[in-house]
Amino acid sequence: MGKIRLVGRLVGRDLRRRPGPALLLVLAITAATATLTLGLVLHGVTSQPYQQTRAATYGPDVVALISGESGLSPARAAAEVRTLTHAAGVTGYSGPFPVASAVLRFRGLAEGVAAEGRPEAPASVDRPKVLAGTWVRPGGIVLERTFAEALGVGVGGRVTLDGRPYRVAGIAVTAAVVPYPNMCGPAYGCVFDLPGPNNFNPGLAWVTEPDARSLASAHAPLSYLLNLKLKDPATAPAFASEHRPPPVANSPVLPWQTLQAGYGLEVHAEQTVLTPAAWLAGLLAIASVAVLAGGRMAERTRRVGLLKAVGGTPGTVAVVLLAENLVLALAAAAAGLAIGRLVGPLLASPGAALVGTPGAPAFSLSIVGLVVAVALVVALASTLVPAIRAARTSTVSALADSARRPRRHGVLIRLSRRLPVPLLLGMRLIARRPRRALLSTASVAVTAGGIVAVLAFHTTVHLNAATLSNGLGNPMIDRDEQMLTVLTVVLVALAILNAICAAWTTVLDARHSSALARALGATPEQVTAGIAAAQVLPAAPGVLLGIPLGIGLYAVAVQGIGIIIPSVWWLAAAVLGTLAAVAVLAAIPALADARRPVSPILQSETA
Amino acid sequence: MNDDGAWVLRACGLRKEYGKGEGLVRAVDEVDLDVASGETVAVMGPSGCGKSTLLHLLGGLDRASGGELWLDGQRIDQLGERALARLRRDKIGFIFQAFHLMDELTAAENVELPALLAGRSARSARRRAAELLDRVGLADRAGHLPSQLSGGQRQRVAIARALVSDPQLVLADEPTGNLDSQATVEVLRMFEDLHSSGQTLLVVTHDSRIAATADRLISMRDGAFVDETRLTGGSSGDLGSLAGLNGLTE
């Protein structure tokens, strides 16, 4: 008990004595755990909200449609689809409802719409949940939520369908149709293969049945939609297969599982990118933590000597050092979970078409356990070796603060003799700690890879936006942009943190040699530029490696389909921007340290 | 050369204070000092009397709290960090008690470093380093790392490094403080050599044998100069005899 209290007291005192590095460590692990939490939360986001919506709207197990282009008369089409109501396993149904293909206009915007005719009374299967306003009435239209959002119209707004005026009576969600703009998808074709123009990925609206029928024309005959309930919803795919192909062309029979996948498109992009992004963030965090942990250990060499001199065993020393970083990792995991918990629903919320708060239900104990475990493993992996090394260091050399002698890299030193002073100093700093330089190269490669992947994703999103552009907002693209912003912020924040950690550790490690260089005639500016050069030189190959790494990562994320490489200008900007950022971030701690007088450093430290 | 042609270094009322109020500590207290060209001055005193602080102030490694400091006719206590760095590079050589050699550099690389920092070519810097290592008797150790050298050899490398830019003033801080008797004798020989070559030298030391090589001996206590003795004959003079240094330069 006494020993635990002693360790706790030592950890507490050390954290209070050096809050800055501790804060950096917490930030690094927090960023990684927040990204991981987001990835895990979004992983489960597609199923639960859909189920919620299905439950709230008495969603169908199977949806069947006979297209207006089937060539059948309206009465025959309705009769054909109605035959499914007698199929084995069907326990209930609603419809068939007439669906008209029309063009909806609002404030200069025009988009194709599937106008489903509904009775004013609620149906037994598929009762769209009205989120604002009221249900359909003559002259009143109800819009599916993501479609309304894309149009920017609310309850009371005035729209036209094929030129006829309607007032928006309400906004609703349904589980029977995939929300805008995903009514057509590779997995399920087009839910409504509507006749006439503007029929690609139309929006969904509900009107009264007479209004729907009145919108039909010879060029755009009515389609019919039937919602079925099965005895066993799990058999819906088998039921759909059995009744496919339907009696007429262009008439899909869709199980609810397919519709659920269509709903998943809402967050598909987030999922494909967030998982690799979480790995990238994790790698960056590990690099930051490794550099920070090493730096903190180097900084505390003398403290280790003091601990041992007053009777601390190697075990006690190792436990104190480990406990400190594990405590910080726990705090960071808690912060990361909180951030992921808060931001997750924002990314997934669109579930605009869905009921409830989609991100929240996916946040489970297993996620908490996994995130905490990852944080602890990261801290442990990066601290264990330095802690054991510190525990094994002889007391005398630890007290003399000379535990980590610099390495000699003769080739680099000889090469540096012919370079200008800042590069000479920078290259010699690299020669002192080549492994740290390699770590910098690796972390910059990961950062640049992340940035290039985000750029590639960004380019794709914009190309898609340009292809689909009809003046309407696209909730998916909006959300992609939202996610890209979050990812970019996380990656850049981590990269900044990483660069600061690496520079700070180099400054600490090189404090004596920098002071000596100044005593021998190097100006503070030359020393600062030298430390910046020590970061930029290993960063240069890293950032170049990051380009193929990022493109490869993006290719993996999109499974090799439709890879779009960002323009040379964007890549050049990413390379130069990253190097400039590394130089500036390194110069800040270096400049601060160069202001310290030389004398106390030389007096307090030995070579 | 300074304006009156006599001194290289001049300090007037030089002060260095730490803390304030009741906690005020005067590490260097109103020190006045002139060091003439070619002169060797030794400053002696007990530990903590402010010798090293004074030396760091004189070399521009630390900032004075007050007073004036002149080097080669130029007032230097008001110079910025960049100008001070250039001054150290061009006009001052330092020798430290702890040697302060870079562990990862060989003897030759350590010696040539100030010349490279001054912008001299790699070839010229290496040639000068080789000359100086030869002068201090370490030509055959040029490729050795500090960890492969004895204490005395390390200090001789540090002396060679201090001389690489042909400084007007060499400042030495307890140059034999970390050395055994044999190594001390090696370094004393070097100081005698410097003295006889006309190098201006200011040494702070505990070691009376080093002090005996000086032209002038200043005693320091509680940050202030309390006594000054002009010596004659360096190590071959009376004090040198007392310190047992006769014959060192033979």
Side-chain angles (χ1 to χ4, degrees):
Chain A
M1 193 64 184
K3 197 166 185 177
I4 292 172
R5 195 179 297 161
L6 172 70
V7 169
R9 197 176 291 168
L10 287 169
V11 167
R13 293 270 161 83
D14 200 37
L15 291 179
R16 275 206 297 272
R17 199 171 65 94
R18 298 271 183 197
L23 187 66
L24 281 177
L25 194 69
V26 169
L27 283 175
I29 302 178
T30 299
T33 50
T35 316
L36 183 63
T37 308
L38 273 177
L40 292 170
V41 165
L42 281 183
H43 192 67
V45 83
T46 50
S47 58
Q48 275 190 299
Y50 179 75
Q51 294 291 18
Q52 281 187 322
T53 308
R54 243 168 73 77
T57 61
Y58 299 90
D61 296 326
V62 172
V63 172
L65 184 91
I66 286 198
S67 167
E69 288 188 334
S70 61
L72 302 177
S73 68
R76 177 79 196 285
E80 279 290 347
V81 77
R82 198 174 283 124
T83 58
L84 287 174
T85 62
H86 305 298
V90 174
T91 57
Y93 69 93
S94 68
F97 299 117
V99 181
S101 174
V103 173
L104 183 148
R105 293 183 194 279
F106 174 70
R107 288 185 185 166
L109 300 171
E111 179 63 295
V113 66
E116 185 179 337
R118 283 299 190 102
E120 291 178 52
S124 59
V125 181
D126 184 31
R127 294 179 200 166
K129 172 95 174 169
V130 177
L131 302 172
T134 59
W135 185 234
V136 294
R137 58 182 181 232
I141 185 171
V142 174
L143 298 175
E144 183 268 322
R145 186 159 85 179
T146 52
F147 186 45
E149 278 185 0
L151 286 167
V153 63
V155 173
R158 297 195 176 277
V159 300
T160 64
L161 288 183
D162 285 350
R164 296 181 199 179
Y166 285 86
R167 189 167 168 275
V168 177
I171 308 289
V173 296
T174 177
V177 176
V178 179
Y180 183 83
N182 294 319
M183 212 175 273
C184 292
Y188 48 85
C190 286
V191 175
F192 289 116
D193 197 359
L194 296 170
N198 301 93
N199 63 351
F200 182 75
N201 265 342
L204 176 65
W206 295 274
V207 292
T208 60
E209 285 188 292
D211 280 342
R213 291 183 202 287
S214 69
L215 287 167
S217 67
H219 299 296
L222 289 173
S223 301
Y224 283 90
L225 181 76
L226 179 71
N227 299 302
L228 298 173
K229 270 284 182 196
L230 302 183
K231 188 176 176 187
D232 179 6
T235 62
F239 181 92
S241 298
E242 190 184 332
H243 295 89
R244 193 185 298 140
V248 288
N250 301 325
S251 303
V253 178
L254 300 171
W256 65 267
Q257 290 89 341
T258 301
L259 295 170
Q260 183 185 31
Y263 271 73
L265 286 177
E266 291 282 339
V267 286
H268 178 70
E270 283 92 331
Q271 285 175 327
T272 52
V273 172
L274 258 177
T275 307
W279 281 109
L280 276 185
L283 285 174
L284 274 178
I286 288 171
S288 293
V289 174
V291 169
L292 271 170
R296 297 186 78 214
M297 291 299 171
E299 194 188 30
R300 285 179 297 180
T301 306
R302 195 158 176 278
R303 192 172 165 80
V304 166
L306 285 171
L307 258 179
K308 293 173 104 174
V310 297
T313 62
T316 309
V317 169
V319 166
V320 168
L321 296 175
L322 278 174
E324 193 171 319
N325 281 353
L326 292 181
V327 165
L328 294 176
L330 275 178
L337 281 166
I339 292 170
R341 175 84 170 82
L342 290 171
V343 177
L346 293 179
L347 281 181
S349 69
L354 311 174
V355 175
T357 50
F363 197 81
S364 63
L365 262 181
S366 61
I367 289 179
V368 173
L370 185 61
V371 169
V372 169
V374 166
L376 290 179
V377 167
V378 164
L380 193 67
S382 52
T383 315
L384 194 61
V385 173
I388 291 173
R389 192 191 296 150
R392 284 182 176 174
T393 304
S394 87
T395 308
V396 171
S397 64
L399 280 172
D401 210 2
S402 58
R404 291 183 72 225
R405 294 244 168 235
R407 287 165 183 268
R408 174 180 167 78
H409 203 298
V411 175
L412 286 181
I413 288 172
R414 280 193 292 279
L415 192 63
S416 69
R417 295 174 66 240
R418 300 178 189 285
L419 298 176
V421 172
L423 286 176
L424 176 146
L425 295 174
M427 198 169 271
R428 289 187 176 191
L429 287 176
I430 293 170
R432 283 167 65 91
R433 302 279 182 229
R435 277 191 300 194
R436 185 181 297 150
L438 277 178
L439 194 63
S440 286
T441 303
S443 67
V444 170
V446 170
T447 306
I451 290 171
V452 169
V454 165
L455 277 177
F457 196 75
H458 198 79
T459 310
T460 312
V461 165
H462 271 263
L463 275 181
N464 288 344
T467 309
L468 298 173
S469 180
N470 51 5
L472 270 70
N474 184 326
M476 271 180 71
I477 290 172
D478 291 347
R479 200 152 34 262
D480 289 348
E481 292 287 7
Q482 200 177 25
M483 181 203 59
L484 282 179
T485 307
V486 171
L487 270 184
T488 309
V489 168
V490 169
L491 273 174
V492 169
L494 263 177
I496 288 174
L497 199 61
N498 207 289
I500 291 175
C501 294
W504 172 77
T505 311
T506 304
V507 165
L508 276 187
D509 186 51
R511 181 167 281 166
H512 178 264
S513 61
S514 295
L516 186 55
R518 285 170 60 197
L520 298 178
T523 64
E525 291 81 4
Q526 285 173 328
V527 170
T528 302
I531 288 173
Q535 307 305 309
V536 171
L537 288 174
V543 80
L544 291 176
L545 270 176
I547 294 175
L549 180 73
I551 291 169
L553 191 76
Y554 175 66
V556 170
V558 298
Q559 295 164 346
I561 301 164
I563 301 168
I564 296 167
I565 296 173
S567 74
V568 173
W569 296 111
W570 274 111
L571 291 176
V575 168
L576 296 176
T578 305
L579 290 178
V582 167
V584 170
L585 291 170
I588 294 169
L591 204 58
D593 201 64
R595 286 184 180 168
R596 289 165 58 112
V598 171
S599 172
I601 301 171
L602 290 181
Q603 279 180 312
S604 65
E605 296 181 40
T606 52
Chain B
M1 184 61 73
N2 53 64
D3 51 0
D4 60 10
W7 48 266
V8 171
L9 179 72
R10 166 170 283 177
C12 304
L14 201 62
R15 292 197 327 270
K16 180 66 182 177
E17 295 165 352
Y18 298 102
K20 35 180 148 166
E22 288 185 3
L24 181 75
V25 175
R26 287 204 171 90
V28 174
D29 190 6
E30 300 286 346
V31 162
D32 296 321
L33 173 70
D34 286 344
V35 179
S37 177
E39 187 182 22
T40 296
V41 175
V43 178
M44 287 188 78
S47 293
C49 73
K51 304 188 298 293
S52 293
T53 305
L54 173 67
L55 192 93
H56 290 163
L57 292 178
L58 297 177
L61 291 178
D62 205 353
R63 294 272 179 188
S65 307
E68 291 180 9
L69 189 59
W70 300 73
L71 181 70
D72 194 27
Q74 180 190 8
R75 185 165 177 185
I76 65 169
D77 56 281
Q78 294 170 332
L79 291 180
E81 276 302 314
R82 190 187 306 173
L84 277 176
R86 288 185 181 140
L87 188 88
R88 290 194 292 266
R89 191 174 70 193
D90 299 333
K91 297 187 175 178
I92 302 173
F94 286 99
I95 301 164
F96 300 99
Q97 176 180 356
F99 322 130
H100 287 317
L101 299 177
M102 294 209 182
D103 288 337
E104 71 276 23
L105 301 185
T106 63
E109 287 164 348
N110 266 293
V111 174
E112 73 181 0
L113 183 58
L116 292 175
L117 292 177
R120 284 170 73 166
S121 72
R123 185 188 297 263
S124 143
R126 179 51 60 94
R127 193 167 49 235
R128 179 71 178 137
E131 284 169 15
L132 287 165
L133 282 172
D134 187 44
R135 181 173 164 189
V136 300
L138 291 174
D140 58 337
R141 297 282 190 274
H144 286 53
L145 292 172
S147 57
Q148 298 167 317
L149 300 174
S150 69
Q153 288 170 332
R154 285 186 216 183
Q155 195 58 295
R156 279 148 66 193
V157 172
I159 291 169
R161 182 180 64 186
L163 299 174
V164 77
S165 297
D166 298 312
Q168 292 185 330
L169 174 68
V170 171
L171 300 171
D173 184 7
E174 300 280 10
T176 56
N178 278 8
L179 303 180
D180 60 24
S181 305
Q182 179 57 39
T184 298
V185 170
E186 290 173 15
V187 172
L188 283 171
R189 284 203 178 100
M190 290 305 313
F191 274 78
E192 267 298 303
D193 182 38
L194 288 179
H195 186 199
S196 54
S197 68
Q199 175 68 56
T200 309
L201 189 60
L202 191 146
V203 192
V204 301
T205 182
H206 268 110
D207 193 330
S208 56
R209 290 173 297 177
I210 283 278
T213 66
D215 298 307
R216 218 160 17 122
L217 172 62
I218 297 173
S219 296
M220 195 170 178
R221 192 177 297 274
D222 297 333
F225 287 173
V226 292
D227 190 27
E228 182 173 328
T229 309
R230 186 159 291 280
L231 310 176
T232 52
S235 60
S236 57
D238 296 341
L239 265 176
S241 303
L242 282 173
L245 295 179
N246 284 6
L248 261 183
T249 53
E250 287 168 8

